[in-house]
Amino acid sequence: MSNPIEANPGATTAPAPSDFIRDIVAQHVVEKKYPRIHTRFPPEPNGYLHIGHAKSICLNFGIAREFGGTCNLRMDDTNPAKEDVEYVDSITADVNWLIGGWADHCLGLTPAKAPFYASDYFDHIYEFAVALIKKGKAFVCDMTPDQTDEYRRLGKPSPFRDRSVTENLDLFTRMKNGEFPDGAKILRAKIIVDSPNIWLRDPLLYRIKHTDHHHTGSKWCIYPMYDFAHCLSDYIEGITHSICTLEFEVHRPLYDWILENLDLPRALPKQYEFARLSLGYTIMSKRKLMQLVDENLVTGWDDPRMPTISGIRRRGVRPEALRNFAYNIGITKYNGITDVSVLEFAIREDLNKRALRRLAVLRPIKVVITNFAEGKIEELDATNSPEDETAGKRKVPFSRELYIERDDFAEVPPPKFFRLKPGGEVRLKYAYIIKCEEVVKDTSGNITELRCTADLDSKTGGATSARKVKGTIHWVSAPHAVDAEVRLYDRLFTEAEPEKDGRDFKSVLNPKSLEVITAKCEPSLKDAKPTERYQFERMAYFALDLDSQPGKLVFNRTITLKDAWAKESQKK
Ligand code: ATP
Ligand code: MG
């Protein structure tokens, strides 16, 4: 396949992935089939976007970007009962966050251009319905919804199928004018009553719904069905490639039938299908995610444990990581479950390059350096990022009283324990080698303090620092430490397939998906910024949560440094 970028000078020069849909588009570019490639991302504003949508967004906007085309963000808002402006706003914000940097190729995203709405085309779509009636290709049907379903299932013609054009036009106008209650009549296409493809068995085009719409208000009491509105919205916007997930493959003949039976003057859009994303340890349906929110099993749509784009963002994941993930998993025609570790890997890889290293002790135990003068403070050099020299260094204070991680000390150490133990030595990162001389306990036998001595000739980077010990641990100076609420997030479900064999996904919620602790942080974290990412050395990657306030730090654990679940499943 020729390089789409060369074939299309308007395209960007970023390396692009390749897959069967991009191959089709590239071929069309070579053939000059369309003046411009035009895709769309058409969410229904009835919930927040999830990571499955992210795959579709990256595909649709990605193709526009790679082939010098355009992608529209369009609210597919034909069902007034479930839709809401809150969702329109969250969807717009999420898409902007995910591919904001690609705005040149995105319509409906910049603040000047609001998203597109299928509901803006209701007048046109109504006229298209009238045109089909006039051609004898649509009729008003009085059967109840149950009867309609049954007749379609049996492949039987509706008794109203042969109504005259005049009668159909009159009834459809009266449907529009609000003369009939909900469900009393529907407009149906006249195609093939017993087609092997059920979607062609005189499908529904319009239904009566006396419900206000989030965008059109009370203007309409009839609303087009998804199948009727979608292809026509694509046509109206000049879409060339209408890319959707595999379950719409069986709708494609209807998509084509509607467009081909309207004598439309311009080039018709074509539908292409790819496999939807299913992710291990995750549920993806908006309806079920809404259940988690409504039943307070999470704190909201943007709870950092949710697979929503807003939850993932709040957790501290950067859009680059999600885009890399979307590219890495590829686009195929086969449904399957993607291992969640693929997503986690993309997040770690991105944060490793980006995150500033900081010292923070999550579960502190106090250490007193008995040979370090009381009141003395040393400012030590600490590296901001081993992956990025330009990130520079900062000073961290060292004093007589420190905190170290409780787990970095073992009174009875297991074999190969290279951290601190009674009588043993360990290096404090960026500082000295210390030796544990005494373990202080309270009356119930809990360790309250470790009394240590420092080898004052062993300072990291100092003239006499050559001496090496096996372990290095992190620490913070106790009098300088700032407290932070730290939210340790983990997977929301304990099972890779939460709904396996019809089980209720709520029965396998992970009771340990959130643990809240108070950490002791190095003082520079007082100035933590929401735009920065941090690696608390040896612990995990963190980002500031939006609950943070001046004087109250809240950090979210975005992801651990290593895949703890992989070890667990090996043990099993
Ligand atoms: P859900 O089934 O999760 O409620 P949906 O399909 O009803 O989602 P829409 O708002 O209709 O959600 O989806 C908008 C677009 O995103 C559609 O083109 C759809 O094909 C695509 N999409 C939805 N879920 C996924 C997924 N898991 N993987 C890839 N694309 C998806
Ligand atoms: Mg849908």
Side-chain angles (χ1 to χ4, degrees):
M1 184 55 46
S2 73
N3 182 344
I5 306 246
E6 280 166 21
N8 203 18
T12 65
T13 50
S18 163
D19 53 63
F20 77 96
I21 294 186
R22 286 177 164 94
D23 285 350
I24 292 169
V25 176
Q27 186 61 39
H28 291 163
V29 169
V30 170
E31 291 166 5
K32 298 193 165 55
K33 188 172 162 106
Y34 305 100
R36 187 181 177 83
I37 299 301
H38 204 150
T39 57
R40 88 284 172 266
F41 172 66
E44 193 184 344
N46 61 355
Y48 281 57
L49 297 181
H50 54 58
I51 187 165
H53 295 116
K55 176 179 179 182
S56 179
I57 295 166
C58 291
L59 177 63
N60 279 295
F61 285 91
I63 284 177
R65 172 173 172 264
E66 292 149 32
F67 295 91
T70 304
C71 181
N72 293 4
L73 169 62
R74 180 205 310 147
M75 300 299 153
D76 212 336
D77 53 351
T78 55
N79 184 0
K82 291 189 178 164
E83 294 160 5
D84 197 279
V85 182
E86 177 195 348
Y87 302 132
V88 171
D89 293 344
S90 74
I91 289 169
T92 310
D94 287 349
V95 175
N96 247 318
W97 174 77
L98 187 57
I99 48 96
W102 301 353
D104 287 357
H105 299 286
C106 312
L107 287 181
L109 266 184
T110 49
K113 297 179 198 130
F116 293 78
Y117 295 89
S119 56
D120 278 341
Y121 314 136
F122 281 173
D123 285 305
H124 286 79
I125 295 171
Y126 179 82
E127 289 308 323
F128 286 128
V130 169
L132 282 183
I133 294 172
K134 285 184 177 160
K135 295 176 86 181
K137 294 189 172 180
F139 66 99
V140 174
C141 179
D142 299 358
M143 287 200 295
T144 64
D146 284 348
Q147 279 173 330
T148 311
D149 281 353
E150 197 195 334
Y151 273 55
R152 290 187 69 201
R153 197 163 40 77
L154 299 173
K156 272 172 55 177
S158 157
F160 305 96
R161 196 171 198 263
D162 293 321
R163 269 180 168 150
S164 70
V165 168
T166 321
E167 191 183 2
N168 281 321
L169 282 175
D170 174 59
L171 288 172
F172 190 51
T173 309
R174 291 168 59 196
M175 278 169 67
K176 176 188 168 213
N177 292 343
E179 290 186 28
F180 309 112
D182 287 6
K185 291 189 177 359
I186 45 177
L187 183 74
R188 295 176 64 179
K190 203 190 271 189
I191 310 183
I192 305 167
V193 290
D194 57 355
S195 166
N197 182 336
I198 192 142
W199 298 101
L200 294 181
R201 294 184 185 179
D202 291 4
L204 283 64
L205 301 182
Y206 259 95
R207 64 204 185 290
I208 302 172
K209 218 169 213 173
H210 291 268
T211 305
D212 281 3
H213 185 281
H214 73 96
H215 193 61
T216 58
S218 57
K219 177 170 176 191
W220 295 90
C221 64
I222 56 170
Y223 292 95
M225 303 301 293
Y226 167 86
D227 280 317
F228 192 50
H230 198 87
C231 53
L232 291 171
S233 304
D234 283 346
Y235 175 76
I236 290 165
E237 290 180 5
I239 302 301
T240 53
H241 298 77
S242 180
I243 302 166
C244 58
T245 35
L246 282 178
E247 68 273 20
F248 291 102
E249 195 167 8
V250 284
H251 297 237
R252 189 176 352 123
L254 176 56
Y255 183 102
D256 291 337
W257 183 92
I258 294 168
L259 295 174
E260 284 163 8
N261 280 277
L262 279 165
D263 302 323
L264 299 168
R266 288 186 285 120
L268 302 183
K270 282 276 167 204
Q271 179 182 300
Y272 305 87
E273 307 88 13
F274 70 100
R276 60 171 44 233
L277 171 68
S278 303
L279 199 58
Y281 294 91
T282 307
I283 54 163
M284 207 80 94
S285 128
K286 276 185 275 189
R287 189 173 54 79
K288 290 171 188 160
L289 294 174
M290 188 175 292
Q291 235 175 302
L292 294 175
V293 175
D294 288 346
E295 295 176 26
N296 295 318
L297 297 167
V298 292
T299 56
W301 283 100
D302 71 345
D303 185 304
R305 292 165 292 181
M306 289 280 270
T308 51
I309 295 182
S310 52
I312 291 170
R313 171 173 64 230
R314 181 165 181 180
R315 188 155 165 159
V317 174
R318 298 182 340 118
E320 289 83 347
L322 266 195
R323 296 202 301 255
N324 287 343
F325 168 70
Y327 274 10
N328 291 345
I329 54 177
I331 301 296
T332 70
K333 273 242 171 230
Y334 311 99
N335 282 321
I337 299 179
T338 300
D339 195 325
V340 70
S341 63
V342 179
L343 171 64
E344 293 172 345
F345 176 80
I347 297 171
R348 274 190 199 105
E349 199 184 38
D350 178 61
L351 290 178
N352 180 41
K353 281 182 267 168
R354 273 302 172 124
L356 296 172
R357 273 46 172 184
R358 292 290 181 262
L359 299 178
V361 173
L362 300 187
R363 294 178 177 85
I365 179 169
K366 190 175 252 182
V367 168
V368 178
I369 311 290
T370 53
N371 61 336
F372 201 84
E374 226 159 303
K376 180 178 167 184
I377 298 159
E378 263 189 69
E379 295 285 341
L380 303 175
D381 282 328
T383 307
N384 283 329
S385 172
E387 301 288 320
D388 175 12
E389 265 184 34
T390 64
K393 289 185 187 292
R394 70 189 183 286
K395 296 286 184 194
V396 286
F398 184 87
S399 68
R400 178 182 164 90
E401 296 202 350
L402 313 170
Y403 293 113
I404 65 165
E405 212 68 55
R406 196 163 272 272
D407 278 356
D408 282 337
F409 173 77
E411 200 174 11
V412 185
K416 297 201 179 149
F417 184 84
F418 298 124
R419 292 167 279 165
L420 197 59
K421 53 195 168 195
E425 284 189 319
V426 77
R427 175 170 290 281
L428 297 179
K429 186 123 198 215
Y430 308 122
Y432 299 98
I433 295 172
I434 60 167
K435 182 175 182 185
C436 178
E437 309 281 0
E438 189 190 343
V439 180
V440 183
K441 296 183 179 175
D442 63 17
T443 49
S444 357
N446 301 311
I447 299 171
T448 54
E449 188 177 297
L450 303 172
R451 298 184 74 81
C452 301
T453 49
D455 172 355
L456 297 173
D457 287 332
S458 67
K459 188 158 138 185
T460 302
T464 51
S465 68
R467 192 159 85 83
K468 286 205 161 61
V469 289
K470 274 222 161 124
T472 301
I473 63 174
H474 63 279
W475 53 276
V476 293
S477 165
H480 301 93
V482 286
D483 282 355
E485 177 178 325
V486 170
R487 300 176 181 171
L488 300 173
Y489 292 108
D490 203 347
R491 294 178 186 172
L492 189 52
F493 296 99
T494 53
E495 296 291 332
E497 293 175 66
E499 297 181 280
K500 197 173 180 181
D501 303 329
R503 128 180 97 200
D504 178 4
F505 61 91
K506 285 181 280 180
S507 68
V508 290
L509 279 169
N510 179 5
K512 296 185 192 145
S513 62
L514 170 61
E515 185 190 351
V516 182
I517 57 174
T518 303
K520 299 286 182 188
C521 302
E522 67 165 79
S524 76
L525 280 169
K526 257 200 308 265
D527 304 316
K529 294 186 196 66
T531 49
E532 299 278 22
R533 297 293 180 271
Y534 304 97
Q535 185 198 101
F536 293 176
E537 291 206 38
R538 301 180 58 239
M539 303 312 286
Y541 293 103
F542 292 86
L544 207 60
D545 187 75
L546 51 85
D547 285 343
S548 287
Q549 287 160 15
K552 182 181 186 268
L553 292 168
V554 181
F555 286 104
N556 294 328
R557 180 169 71 192
T558 310
I559 191 120
T560 52
L561 293 184
K562 291 206 186 92
D563 184 350
W565 288 70
K567 239 196 255 164
E568 276 303 305
S569 54
Q570 266 169 15
K571 260 192 251 163
K572 272 186 201 167

